[in-house]
Amino acid sequence: MSDRLPFPWVPFPWVPFPDEFAARYRELGYWTGETFGDFLAAKAAAFGERVAVVDSEVRWSYRELDERATRIAASFVGLGIAPGDRVVVHLPNVAEFVAVVFGLFRAGALPVFALPSHRFAEISAFCSISGAVGYVIADSSRALADEVVAAVPSVRHVLIAADLAELPAGGPLPEVDASAVAFLQLSGGSTGVPKLIPRTHDDYLYSVRESAAICGLTPETVYLVALPAAHNFPMSSPGILGVLHAGGRVVMASAPSPDVVFPLIERERVTLTGVVPPLALQWMASPARAAHDLSSLKVLQVGGAKFVPEAAARVRPELGCELQQVFGMAEGLVNYTRSDDPEDVVIGSQGRPISPHDEIRVVAEDDVEVAPGEVGELLTRGPYTIRGYYRAVEHNAVAFTADGFYRTGDLVRVLPSGHLVVEGRAKDQINRGGEKIAAEEIENHLLAHPAVHDAAVVAIPDEFLGERTCAFVITTEPVAAPALRAFLRNRGLAAYKIPDRVETVEAFPHTGVGKTSRRDLRRALADTLRKAR
Ligand code: OOB
């Protein structure tokens, strides 16, 4: 495989679980040796003609989805895509997304999950970091694909999702190892270069089965995919995979707005969906609510960013359904409030871990555990939390402790019941309504402007999104904010990463130690903004 990895080459592209941990998770029955390919075959055998996935064009049964995935896998083999190869998947919320992803699993290739909002800057980074050989798109992003192919030599195939089931079939399909990496998920990130998250069949399917059980899924569950399907939350918490595990029905929404979602909930009798806090607010505020029968909806999951208690308390009275808070991360750990938790815990906490073997440490800056109930940084290790990012040896040394705990960068406190309350953040990231933005990544793009001498990107509080971005810049000549935004857009940055506010300043506040640390600057500027409100 190594001769296919152009840059940056490192001897161990991912960090496997240590043997003694892997053995323990197997003994506990958490890791079963089942691959995603086996998983879908088992579901097709159990639920054959039941509807598995629906979008505005198709309505596939479990049998049809299974057959399509196998056919698409054969196309990948026919194209010469080998086990272990990476393929960036960049699709909107369509049924074909599910078929393509399972097709890749069966071909032993690794999907790299891009979000629909990503543009050239992000896609080219995912392709080059992963050394992707293929890029799967819906036909609308052809122009982008041409740019990506020109920029990243490893990308040999641009594939239109809808054509995949028609290409010449190769064979046979390979044997796939459940302890191997199944796909690469995106990290919200806090560094200049995006980080990719290697998840194995074994670890991810454990989280899927447990999530389905915790959320009480049954064959009667109808799950609406309102968030981008490739994100970890709608993918597996319990999401698309949890619902397929239970034999329920997945309904793809082309957009999360009330005008699209409410008619779908009514027509498909949706019972469960997951949203980020701003969407929950938008749904609650929508006058269209009265015009649709939303009575089938039993549970609204909210996660991805902090859902404040005042808003959380409105869900049941205004939407007539239960609230479930979800605090998760693509790196692994997922917390849920449970249906039998007391109301104040459901409203006031972000849930407790999936597994009794999720290890939680809450520490101060010196890595020493704080007293019970005190706020500190959350560190975690467990049966479905990664031990390292993909090809990121240096970053892994700071993002993980020596004994393998992942430093989440989230500030939490633990209630006596074991539920976590998210109190803030210790990472250089902006959480813009659930969409994560690494400050350093935007700063690097700003610094590429010839007139920008220095840049610091910080979060500003926002009632609706929770946070928005503000870019502070020191320039060598005047640059208007719209021109700077246009510059970033032209660099192919996703729209959600374009700063909401740009402030030109003469100098950055002093850091005290004389040395300029952008991290300290960001903190100082964020403090100034907070006090100015
Ligand atoms: C989910 O995953 P990511 O990878 O996009 O982002 C993870 C980060 C967490 O470290 C935390 O900073 C924040 O998003 N977060 C929350 C939260 N849920 C996620 N912060 C406060 N309250 C919450 N409920 O966002 C994700 C993955 C799986 C399930 C749900 C969300």
Side-chain angles (χ1 to χ4, degrees), residues 270-321:
V270 168
T271 62
L272 171 69
T273 188
V275 297
V276 288
L279 272 179
L281 296 175
Q282 192 193 2
W283 290 11
M284 288 193 286
S286 170
R289 221 163 15 98
H292 295 281
D293 176 7
L294 306 181
S295 62
S296 58
L297 191 64
K298 297 285 174 287
V299 177
L300 179 73
Q301 299 183 295
V302 182
K306 173 88 176 206
F307 199 36
V308 295
E310 300 71 44
R314 290 169 45 204
V315 169
R316 190 196 289 275
E318 294 187 23
L319 292 174
C321 64

Side-chain angles (χ1 to χ4, degrees), residues 185-189 197 231-234 236-237 276-277 302-307 325-336 350 406 408-410 422 424-425 427 429 431 434-436:
Q185 184 54 272
L186 308 181
S187 161
I197 296 171
H231 188 268
N232 199 61
F233 182 11
S236 65
S237 304
V276 288
V302 182
K306 173 88 176 206
F307 199 36
Q325 297 217 38
V326 188
F327 164 38
M329 53 207 72
E331 286 82 356
L333 181 71
V334 179
N335 304 276
Y336 297 102
Q350 279 62 60
Y406 166 57
T408 66
D410 293 313
V422 180
R425 197 174 49 225
K427 52 188 168 187
Q429 186 185 75
N431 189 335
E435 294 187 300
K436 316 302 184 319

Side-chain angles (χ1 to χ4, degrees), residues 406-417:
Y406 166 57
R407 299 182 191 275
T408 66
D410 293 313
L411 298 177
V412 304
R413 66 190 160 86
V414 184
L415 302 178
S417 58

Side-chain angles (χ1 to χ4, degrees), residues 11 257 276 311 368 452:
S257 52
V276 288
V368 171
V452 174

